[in-house]
């Protein structure tokens, strides 16, 4: 039942897929994030991992629309499950060329995920090569 709940959220909201070849029932759950090279590797234990609320891992998206679609799916899921913990979307300005849009969400796992969109202003970045993404 727990695995089903984890899969319902992480697959339904973010599109992660279970890797059945790596999953061992009640021991290991492996979820791929769009590609088998990007994954969550979860191990069952009598004493599960615990961490502060804002410990997190990150995933970037290619557009603000994609970020907002993920947030909408997370909020829709939260409407029927109060275990979803969301820190709403915000935008942080970094210098003249970058606005970082992000939100955080947690569901049944100890760490949150931060979804980020790096919104580079190409006109400003072009003026200063140090401002351009690597």
């Amino acid at each position: 039942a727990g695995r089903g709940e984890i899969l319902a959220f992480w697959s339904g909201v973010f599109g992660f897929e279970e890797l059945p070849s790596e999953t061992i029932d009640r021991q290991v759950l492996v979820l791929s994030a769009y590609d088998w090279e990007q994954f969550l590797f979860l191990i069952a234990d009598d004493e599960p991992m615990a961490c502060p609320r804002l410990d997190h891992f990150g995933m970037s998206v290619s557009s603000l629309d994609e970020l907002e679609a993920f947030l909408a799916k997370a909020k829709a899921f939260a409407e029927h499950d109060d275990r979803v913990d969301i820190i709403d979307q915000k935008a942080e300005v970094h210098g003249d060329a970058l606005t970082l849009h992000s939100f955080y969400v947690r569901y049944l796992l100890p760490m949150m995920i931060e979804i980020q969109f790096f919104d580079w202003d190409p006109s400003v970045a072009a003026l200063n090569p140090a401002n351009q993404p690597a």
Side-chain angles (χ1 to χ4, degrees), residues 11-76:
S11 178
V13 173
F14 297 111
F16 291 11
E17 296 181 8
E18 179 180 9
L19 294 178
S21 63
E22 303 302 314
T23 296
I24 303 169
D25 193 38
R26 299 182 186 271
Q27 295 178 34
V28 176
L29 174 60
V30 181
L31 304 176
S32 68
Y34 306 109
D35 182 309
W36 59 271
E37 294 177 339
Q38 309 299 320
F39 58 90
L40 295 177
F41 191 95
L42 307 169
I43 299 174
D45 197 345
D46 291 335
E47 294 183 33
M49 183 177 116
C51 57
R53 179 176 184 239
L54 287 176
D55 275 6
H56 64 279
F57 61 100
M59 183 172 79
S60 68
V61 295
S62 59
S63 71
L64 187 55
D65 287 343
E66 186 178 7
L67 181 139
E68 290 173 346
F70 280 142
L71 179 57
K73 287 180 183 180
K75 287 181 175 181

Side-chain angles (χ1 to χ4, degrees), residues 4 14 20 22-23 49 52 55-56 79 82 86 92-94 107 114-115 127-129 134:
F14 297 111
E22 303 302 314
T23 296
M49 183 177 116
D55 275 6
H56 64 279
E79 288 178 10
D82 62 3
I86 297 173
E92 299 174 354
V93 176
H94 296 269
Y107 181 73
E114 178 183 10
I115 305 299
L127 297 174
N128 182 353

Side-chain angles (χ1 to χ4, degrees), residues 88-118:
D88 214 350
Q89 182 178 341
K90 65 179 179 179
E92 299 174 354
V93 176
H94 296 269
D96 295 330
L98 172 64
T99 301
L100 177 62
H101 301 267
S102 67
F103 74 92
Y104 298 78
V105 65
R106 176 175 53 192
Y107 181 73
L108 297 182
L109 303 179
M111 294 185 81
M112 295 189 117
I113 184 171
E114 178 183 10
I115 305 299
Q116 303 175 325
F117 169 59
F118 293 84

